[in-house]
Amino acid sequence: MDSQWALEVMHKAPYITVSFIDEDGKPYGLPLSLASDDDVHWYFHGALEGKKLEAIKAHPDVCLSAVTRCMSTVGPKDGSFTLQYKSAIAFGKAETVTDDAEKVHGLRLVCERFLPQHMDAFDQGVACSLFRTAVVRVTLTEPPIGKRKQYDKDGVEMKYGRMK
């Protein structure tokens, strides 16, 4: 599936797994809450120290993986056990944001995405915790790609980008 389709999956996914390479060269992946307003820069937050930040210092290259509409099912035509899903993968470079204005911007995007009903408390929350919160920006280095397994109403698998 094309990059626009993959971006839609990324925006709808309840979390995105970010895979790092730690300082020892070992893989390290975590499901995180990311948000973006331009489809190129994706933000997440966390503690000021820890394995994620150490991994980013050692190896800033990351891989993002998102999945939505994941549902086990029985294949309508052959009765096989299978999984329907929509997924996206993207590659980027991660860096810790040091500018306070950009940190607030990244945190606002995350909060608007995951806690829009509580935005009235955002400014107060940021004022209390910005100094103890790390914000990471992942800049995509190439357009994401998507993949899916889905059946139409007649039980035929929708392959090769078929939408209807």
Side-chain angles (χ1 to χ4, degrees):
M1 304 299 287
D2 67 22
S3 63
Q4 281 307 117
W5 188 92
L7 285 165
E8 184 178 321
V9 170
M10 292 172 68
H11 282 289
K12 290 182 177 178
Y15 58 85
I16 296 174
T17 298
V18 182
S19 297
F20 306 89
I21 301 168
D22 75 10
E23 55 275 11
D24 296 325
K26 295 180 182 174
Y28 179 66
L30 293 170
L32 298 169
S33 302
L34 278 81
S36 174
D37 63 349
D38 67 2
D39 296 336
V40 175
H41 302 98
W42 292 78
Y43 293 91
F44 66 88
H45 74 290
L48 288 174
E49 56 186 47
K51 191 163 180 131
K52 290 187 299 284
L53 297 183
E54 292 303 316
I56 291 167
K57 285 180 193 170
H59 304 281
D61 293 313
V62 296
C63 178
L64 309 179
S65 174
V67 179
T68 64
R69 296 183 50 106
C70 191
M71 179 177 62
S72 54
T73 189
V74 175
K77 293 286 187 184
D78 62 5
S80 63
F81 292 97
T82 191
L83 191 67
Q84 293 190 82
Y85 62 89
K86 293 181 177 183
S87 67
I89 189 168
F91 298 93
K93 292 223 180 265
E95 61 185 305
T96 304
V97 176
T98 57
D99 176 72
D100 282 352
E102 187 178 1
K103 283 177 73 170
V104 171
H105 175 71
L107 291 169
R108 183 177 305 280
L109 291 174
V110 170
C111 289
E112 286 174 342
R113 178 168 182 217
F114 294 99
L115 292 167
Q117 68 277 22
H118 297 291
M119 290 308 293
D120 57 329
F122 177 80
D123 291 331
Q124 180 181 354
V126 165
C128 293
S129 62
L130 187 65
F131 72 95
R132 59 186 161 108
T133 303
V135 174
V136 174
R137 177 184 59 247
V138 175
T139 302
L140 299 188
T141 53
E142 57 190 78
I145 58 171
K147 186 175 178 182
R148 71 161 184 204
K149 184 165 192 174
Q150 186 175 336
Y151 294 97
D152 67 15
K153 63 181 174 50
D154 297 319
V156 176
E157 186 176 349
M158 297 169 61
K159 293 187 177 229
Y160 310 112
R162 184 180 136 216
M163 299 307 288
K164 295 181 183 189

